[in-house]
Amino acid sequence: MTESAPIVVFANFLSDLAVDLNEGEILTQWAQQAPRKAWLLRPGDVLVTPVPLSREFLRYVYGLTRVPPESVAVVEVPPAGVVPLARAVREAGLIEHIRALAGDRGAALLPTALDASAISFARDVGLRIQPYPTLEAAEAALKMTMLLNTKTGFRETAEELGMRLPPGRVCPRPQTEDVARELLRECERVVVKPDRSAGGHGMRFVSRDDLRGGAVLPLDAVGGPEGMWVVEECLEVAESVSIQLEVTTSATHTLFSGAMRTAYGSFTGYASPLPSSCAHVADELEEWGTALGRHLADHGYSGPFGLDALVDVDGVAYASESNIRRTATTTPHAMVTRLTAGSANTHPAWSVSKGWTRDPMDFDEALARLRASGLAFDSDRGEGLVLYADAPADGRSWRYAVIARSAGDVEEQEAALAEVLEFEGG
């Protein structure tokens, strides 16, 4: 990304790529993370965001990334309900404004999700989509992108590619309870997952006791009355892990791997690199991810993707799903790489997570506490705490990143942060 070829960063969290648009509440929650896209901006770039960014946060980002504020533009799109960001831009009459900001320097659109709406928007504004050479090439990748962001599409493809999967079955919603009861004859618990879901949305854990005495299996409305579901044996999980890769025209490259932090199956954070207890599965994850990357490339996809897996208590890895998009860790990793470039921390360990303060505070107060305690990120050392997603609306639920030299240092700094910001339970 250079000044002569700007990027229009398109924070289209409101997308039908991962879940249906009628899942308005969860999509609106995800969209609150749009401010983190500011870490990608370089001189000449434009950020199109569905939520406002505070002046304090932008000043903080520009200070750490050394980007002159006047060299970039942030376009805040007024709320338009639960509709794709491209539609909200059109309804707000911002197409010409964004076209003018992008200029005629060969700008490219960098969407969070490659979907039909983003392609249509790129065509309206006159942009290609990074990293595709043409809009037609991006459009050709849509079918496979949509398929492998589903649980059923992933299971079928993963089996073809020889990945180890948790025992389970795919079925339409009306058959889910019968399939769960059948699997529960062989195991103690199952996990029930809607076909199109992300971050654990709609997932449910079911035991034999839950379905005794004529009890029915309650399911979220996600997917509609005939939507597809996956029912799998609930493994005894020691760690939930992922590997993040990138497909280019020449090869599939591994970017990073790590352990996901989860609560009841929902994503709450991430730590990289893989913990030592899971280091033995690194080669297998890379083998699976590379095979999936080749498959994606054969069907026209280029760009980042993630492969999630479960490591059971016996140390055996099972592939669980793929995310063919910029994931919750793609931008934080790019931020870590950027902030540590040229620093003394050449191989950073890092984490992203969330903590709740006892009392509300604004961005400047939270940052002042970090600086006073010596925990704030230091560019020379390449270490410290980063408030990477702006102040939360409630003033209490803070997203943060820790960048350190080792996993142990990450844990120490997180413990110190909990005291400095007075996290509940810290």
Coordinates of all heavy atoms in Angstrom, one line a residue, residues 239-294:
E239 N -7.5 -27.4 24.0 CA -7.2 -26.1 23.4 C -8.0 -26.0 22.1 O -8.2 -26.9 21.4 CB -5.7 -25.9 23.1 CG -4.8 -25.8 24.3 CD -4.9 -24.4 25.0 OE1 -5.6 -23.5 24.5 OE2 -4.1 -24.2 26.0
S240 N -8.5 -24.8 21.9 CA -9.0 -24.4 20.6 C -8.0 -23.6 19.9 O -7.5 -22.6 20.4 CB -10.3 -23.6 20.7 OG -11.3 -24.3 21.4
V241 N -7.5 -24.0 18.7 CA -6.4 -23.4 18.0 C -6.8 -23.0 16.6 O -7.8 -23.4 16.1 CB -5.2 -24.3 18.0 CG1 -4.7 -24.7 19.4 CG2 -5.5 -25.6 17.2
S242 N -6.0 -22.2 16.0 CA -6.2 -21.8 14.6 C -4.9 -21.5 13.9 O -3.9 -21.1 14.6 CB -7.1 -20.6 14.5 OG -6.4 -19.4 14.7
I243 N -4.9 -21.6 12.6 CA -3.7 -21.2 11.8 C -4.3 -20.3 10.8 O -5.4 -20.5 10.2 CB -3.0 -22.4 11.2 CG1 -1.8 -21.9 10.4 CG2 -4.0 -23.2 10.3 CD1 -0.9 -23.1 9.9
Q244 N -3.6 -19.2 10.6 CA -4.0 -18.2 9.6 C -3.1 -18.2 8.4 O -1.8 -18.1 8.6 CB -4.1 -16.8 10.3 CG -4.9 -16.7 11.5 CD -6.4 -16.9 11.2 OE1 -7.0 -16.2 10.3 NE2 -7.1 -17.7 12.0
L245 N -3.6 -18.2 7.2 CA -2.8 -18.3 6.0 C -3.2 -17.3 5.0 O -4.2 -16.6 5.2 CB -2.8 -19.7 5.4 CG -2.6 -20.9 6.4 CD1 -3.9 -21.5 6.9 CD2 -1.7 -21.9 5.8
E246 N -2.5 -17.2 3.9 CA -2.8 -16.3 2.8 C -2.5 -17.0 1.5 O -1.5 -17.6 1.3 CB -2.0 -15.0 2.9 CG -2.3 -14.0 1.8 CD -1.5 -12.7 2.0 OE1 -0.4 -12.8 2.5 OE2 -2.1 -11.7 1.7
V247 N -3.5 -16.9 0.6 CA -3.4 -17.5 -0.8 C -2.9 -16.4 -1.7 O -3.5 -15.3 -1.7 CB -4.7 -18.0 -1.3 CG1 -4.6 -18.6 -2.7 CG2 -5.2 -19.2 -0.4
T248 N -1.8 -16.6 -2.4 CA -1.4 -15.7 -3.4 C -1.4 -16.4 -4.8 O -1.7 -17.6 -4.8 CB 0.1 -15.2 -3.1 OG1 1.0 -16.2 -3.3 CG2 0.2 -14.6 -1.7
T249 N -1.0 -15.7 -5.8 CA -1.0 -16.3 -7.1 C 0.1 -17.4 -7.2 O 0.0 -18.2 -8.1 CB -0.7 -15.2 -8.2 OG1 0.5 -14.5 -7.9 CG2 -1.8 -14.2 -8.3
S250 N 1.1 -17.4 -6.3 CA 2.1 -18.4 -6.5 C 2.1 -19.5 -5.4 O 2.6 -20.6 -5.7 CB 3.5 -17.6 -6.3 OG 3.6 -17.0 -5.1
A251 N 1.5 -19.2 -4.3 CA 1.5 -20.3 -3.2 C 0.6 -19.9 -2.1 O 0.0 -18.8 -2.1 CB 3.0 -20.4 -2.7
T252 N 0.5 -20.8 -1.1 CA -0.2 -20.5 0.2 C 0.9 -20.3 1.2 O 1.8 -21.2 1.4 CB -1.1 -21.7 0.6 OG1 -2.1 -21.8 -0.4 CG2 -1.8 -21.4 1.9
H253 N 0.8 -19.2 2.0 CA 1.8 -18.9 3.0 C 1.2 -18.9 4.4 O 0.0 -18.4 4.5 CB 2.4 -17.5 2.7 CG 3.0 -17.3 1.4 ND1 4.2 -17.8 1.0 CD2 2.4 -16.7 0.2 CE1 4.4 -17.5 -0.3 NE2 3.4 -16.8 -0.8
T254 N 1.8 -19.5 5.3 CA 1.4 -19.4 6.7 C 1.8 -18.1 7.3 O 2.9 -17.6 7.2 CB 2.0 -20.5 7.5 OG1 1.6 -21.8 7.0 CG2 1.6 -20.4 9.0
L255 N 0.8 -17.4 7.9 CA 1.1 -16.1 8.5 C 1.4 -16.2 10.0 O 2.3 -15.7 10.5 CB -0.1 -15.2 8.3 CG -0.5 -14.9 6.8 CD1 -1.8 -14.0 6.8 CD2 0.7 -14.2 6.1
F256 N 0.5 -16.9 10.7 CA 0.7 -17.1 12.2 C -0.3 -18.2 12.7 O -1.2 -18.6 11.9 CB 0.5 -15.8 12.9 CG -0.9 -15.2 12.8 CD1 -1.9 -15.4 13.8 CD2 -1.2 -14.4 11.7 CE1 -3.2 -14.9 13.6 CE2 -2.5 -13.8 11.6 CZ -3.4 -14.1 12.5
S257 N -0.1 -18.6 13.9 CA -1.0 -19.5 14.5 C -1.1 -19.2 16.0 O -0.2 -18.5 16.5 CB -0.6 -21.0 14.3 OG 0.8 -21.2 14.8
G258 N -2.1 -19.8 16.7 CA -2.2 -19.5 18.1 C -3.4 -20.2 18.7 O -4.0 -21.0 18.0
A259 N -3.7 -19.9 19.9 CA -4.8 -20.5 20.6 C -5.9 -19.5 20.8 O -5.7 -18.3 21.2 CB -4.3 -21.0 22.0
M260 N -7.1 -19.9 20.5 CA -8.3 -19.1 20.7 C -8.8 -19.2 22.2 O -8.7 -20.2 22.8 CB -9.4 -19.5 19.8 CG -9.1 -19.3 18.3 SD -10.5 -19.8 17.2 CE -10.1 -21.6 17.2
R261 N -9.2 -18.1 22.7 CA -9.8 -18.0 24.0 C -11.4 -18.1 23.8 O -11.9 -17.3 23.0 CB -9.4 -16.8 24.7 CG -7.9 -16.7 25.0 CD -7.5 -15.4 25.5 NE -6.1 -15.4 25.8 CZ -5.4 -14.3 26.3 NH1 -6.0 -13.2 26.5 NH2 -4.1 -14.4 26.6
T262 N -12.0 -19.0 24.4 CA -13.4 -19.2 24.2 C -14.2 -19.3 25.5 O -13.6 -19.7 26.5 CB -13.7 -20.4 23.3 OG1 -13.2 -21.6 24.0 CG2 -13.0 -20.4 22.0
A263 N -15.5 -19.0 25.5 CA -16.4 -19.2 26.6 C -17.6 -19.8 26.0 O -18.3 -19.2 25.2 CB -16.7 -17.9 27.3
Y264 N -18.0 -21.1 26.4 CA -19.1 -21.8 25.9 C -19.1 -21.8 24.4 O -20.2 -21.7 23.7 CB -20.4 -21.1 26.4 CG -20.4 -21.0 27.9 CD1 -20.3 -19.7 28.5 CD2 -20.6 -22.1 28.8 CE1 -20.3 -19.6 29.9 CE2 -20.6 -22.0 30.1 CZ -20.4 -20.7 30.7 OH -20.4 -20.6 32.1
G265 N -17.9 -22.0 23.8 CA -17.8 -22.1 22.4 C -17.7 -20.8 21.6 O -17.5 -20.8 20.4
S266 N -17.9 -19.7 22.3 CA -17.8 -18.4 21.6 C -16.4 -17.8 21.7 O -15.8 -17.9 22.8 CB -18.8 -17.4 22.2 OG -20.1 -17.9 22.0
F267 N -16.0 -17.1 20.7 CA -14.6 -16.5 20.6 C -14.6 -15.3 21.5 O -15.4 -14.4 21.5 CB -14.4 -16.1 19.2 CG -13.0 -15.4 19.0 CD1 -11.9 -16.2 18.7 CD2 -12.9 -14.1 19.1 CE1 -10.7 -15.6 18.5 CE2 -11.7 -13.5 18.9 CZ -10.5 -14.2 18.6
T268 N -13.6 -15.3 22.4 CA -13.4 -14.1 23.3 C -12.0 -13.5 23.2 O -11.8 -12.4 23.7 CB -13.6 -14.5 24.8 OG1 -12.7 -15.5 25.2 CG2 -15.0 -15.1 25.0
G269 N -11.1 -14.2 22.5 CA -9.7 -13.6 22.4 C -8.8 -14.6 21.7 O -9.2 -15.7 21.3
Y270 N -7.5 -14.3 21.7 CA -6.5 -15.1 20.9 C -5.2 -14.8 21.5 O -4.9 -13.6 21.9 CB -6.6 -14.6 19.4 CG -5.9 -15.5 18.5 CD1 -6.5 -16.7 18.0 CD2 -4.6 -15.2 18.0 CE1 -5.8 -17.5 17.1 CE2 -4.0 -16.0 17.1 CZ -4.6 -17.2 16.7 OH -3.9 -18.0 15.8
A271 N -4.3 -15.8 21.4 CA -2.9 -15.6 21.8 C -2.0 -16.3 20.9 O -2.3 -17.5 20.5 CB -2.7 -16.1 23.3
S272 N -1.0 -15.7 20.4 CA 0.0 -16.2 19.4 C 1.4 -16.1 20.0 O 1.7 -15.0 20.6 CB -0.1 -15.5 18.1 OG 0.7 -16.0 17.1
P273 N 2.3 -17.1 19.8 CA 2.1 -18.3 19.0 C 1.4 -19.4 19.8 O 0.8 -19.1 20.9 CB 3.6 -18.7 18.8 CG 4.3 -18.2 20.1 CD 3.6 -16.9 20.4
L274 N 1.3 -20.6 19.2 CA 0.7 -21.7 19.8 C 1.3 -22.0 21.2 O 2.6 -21.9 21.3 CB 0.9 -23.0 19.0 CG 0.0 -23.1 17.7 CD1 0.5 -24.3 16.9 CD2 -1.5 -23.3 18.1
P275 N 0.6 -22.3 22.2 CA 1.2 -22.7 23.5 C 2.0 -23.9 23.3 O 1.8 -24.8 22.4 CB 0.0 -22.9 24.4 CG -1.2 -23.2 23.5 CD -0.9 -22.4 22.2
S276 N 3.0 -24.1 24.2 CA 3.9 -25.3 24.1 C 3.1 -26.6 24.2 O 3.5 -27.6 23.6 CB 4.9 -25.2 25.2 OG 4.3 -25.1 26.5
S277 N 2.0 -26.6 24.9 CA 1.2 -27.8 25.0 C 0.6 -28.3 23.6 O 0.2 -29.4 23.5 CB 0.0 -27.6 26.0 OG -0.8 -26.6 25.6
C278 N 0.6 -27.3 22.7 CA 0.0 -27.7 21.4 C 1.0 -27.6 20.2 O 0.7 -27.7 19.1 CB -1.2 -26.7 21.0 SG -2.6 -26.9 22.1
A279 N 2.3 -27.4 20.6 CA 3.3 -27.2 19.5 C 3.4 -28.4 18.6 O 3.7 -28.2 17.4 CB 4.7 -26.9 20.2
H280 N 3.1 -29.6 19.1 CA 3.2 -30.8 18.3 C 2.2 -30.9 17.2 O 2.3 -31.7 16.3 CB 3.0 -32.0 19.2 CG 1.6 -32.1 19.8 ND1 1.2 -31.4 20.9 CD2 0.6 -32.9 19.5 CE1 0.0 -31.7 21.2 NE2 -0.4 -32.6 20.4
V281 N 1.1 -30.0 17.2 CA 0.1 -30.1 16.1 C 0.4 -29.0 15.1 O -0.3 -29.0 14.1 CB -1.3 -29.9 16.7 CG1 -1.6 -30.9 17.8 CG2 -1.6 -28.4 17.1
A282 N 1.5 -28.2 15.2 CA 1.7 -27.2 14.3 C 1.9 -27.7 12.8 O 1.4 -27.1 11.9 CB 3.0 -26.4 14.7
D283 N 2.7 -28.7 12.7 CA 2.9 -29.3 11.3 C 1.7 -29.8 10.7 O 1.4 -29.5 9.5 CB 4.0 -30.4 11.4 CG 5.4 -29.9 11.7 OD1 5.6 -28.7 11.6 OD2 6.2 -30.7 12.1
E284 N 0.8 -30.4 11.5 CA -0.4 -30.9 10.9 C -1.4 -29.8 10.5 O -2.0 -29.8 9.5 CB -1.1 -31.9 11.9 CG -2.3 -32.6 11.3 CD -2.7 -33.8 12.2 OE1 -2.8 -33.6 13.4 OE2 -3.0 -34.9 11.6
L285 N -1.4 -28.8 11.3 CA -2.3 -27.6 11.0 C -1.8 -27.0 9.7 O -2.6 -26.6 8.9 CB -2.2 -26.6 12.1 CG -3.0 -26.9 13.4 CD1 -2.8 -25.7 14.4 CD2 -4.4 -27.1 13.1
E286 N -0.4 -26.9 9.6 CA 0.1 -26.2 8.4 C -0.2 -27.1 7.1 O -0.5 -26.6 6.1 CB 1.6 -26.0 8.5 CG 2.2 -25.2 7.4 CD 3.5 -24.5 7.7 OE1 3.9 -24.6 8.9 OE2 4.1 -23.9 6.8
E287 N -0.1 -28.4 7.3 CA -0.4 -29.3 6.2 C -1.9 -29.2 5.8 O -2.2 -29.1 4.6 CB -0.1 -30.8 6.7 CG -0.5 -31.8 5.6 CD -0.3 -33.2 6.2 OE1 0.6 -33.4 7.1 OE2 -1.0 -34.2 5.7
W288 N -2.8 -29.2 6.7 CA -4.2 -29.0 6.4 C -4.5 -27.6 5.8 O -5.2 -27.5 4.8 CB -5.1 -29.1 7.7 CG -5.1 -30.5 8.3 CD1 -4.7 -31.7 7.7 CD2 -5.6 -30.9 9.6 NE1 -4.9 -32.7 8.5 CE2 -5.4 -32.3 9.7 CE3 -6.1 -30.2 10.6 CZ2 -5.8 -33.0 10.8 CZ3 -6.5 -30.8 11.8 CH2 -6.4 -32.2 11.9
G289 N -3.9 -26.6 6.4 CA -4.1 -25.2 5.9 C -3.6 -25.1 4.5 O -4.2 -24.4 3.6
T290 N -2.4 -25.6 4.2 CA -1.8 -25.5 2.8 C -2.7 -26.3 1.8 O -2.9 -25.8 0.7 CB -0.4 -26.1 2.8 OG1 0.4 -25.4 3.8 CG2 0.2 -26.0 1.5
A291 N -3.2 -27.4 2.2 CA -4.1 -28.2 1.3 C -5.4 -27.4 1.0 O -5.9 -27.3 -0.1 CB -4.5 -29.5 1.9
L292 N -5.9 -26.7 2.1 CA -7.1 -25.9 1.9 C -6.8 -24.7 1.0 O -7.6 -24.3 0.1 CB -7.7 -25.5 3.2 CG -8.9 -24.6 3.2 CD1 -10.1 -25.4 2.5 CD2 -9.4 -24.3 4.6
G293 N -5.6 -24.1 1.2 CA -5.2 -23.0 0.3 C -5.1 -23.4 -1.1 O -5.5 -22.6 -2.0
R294 N -4.5 -24.6 -1.4 CA -4.5 -25.0 -2.8 C -5.9 -25.2 -3.4 O -6.1 -24.8 -4.5 CB -3.7 -26.3 -2.9 CG -2.2 -26.2 -2.7 CD -1.5 -27.5 -3.2 NE -1.9 -28.6 -2.4 CZ -1.2 -29.1 -1.3 NH1 -0.1 -28.4 -0.9 NH2 -1.6 -30.1 -0.7

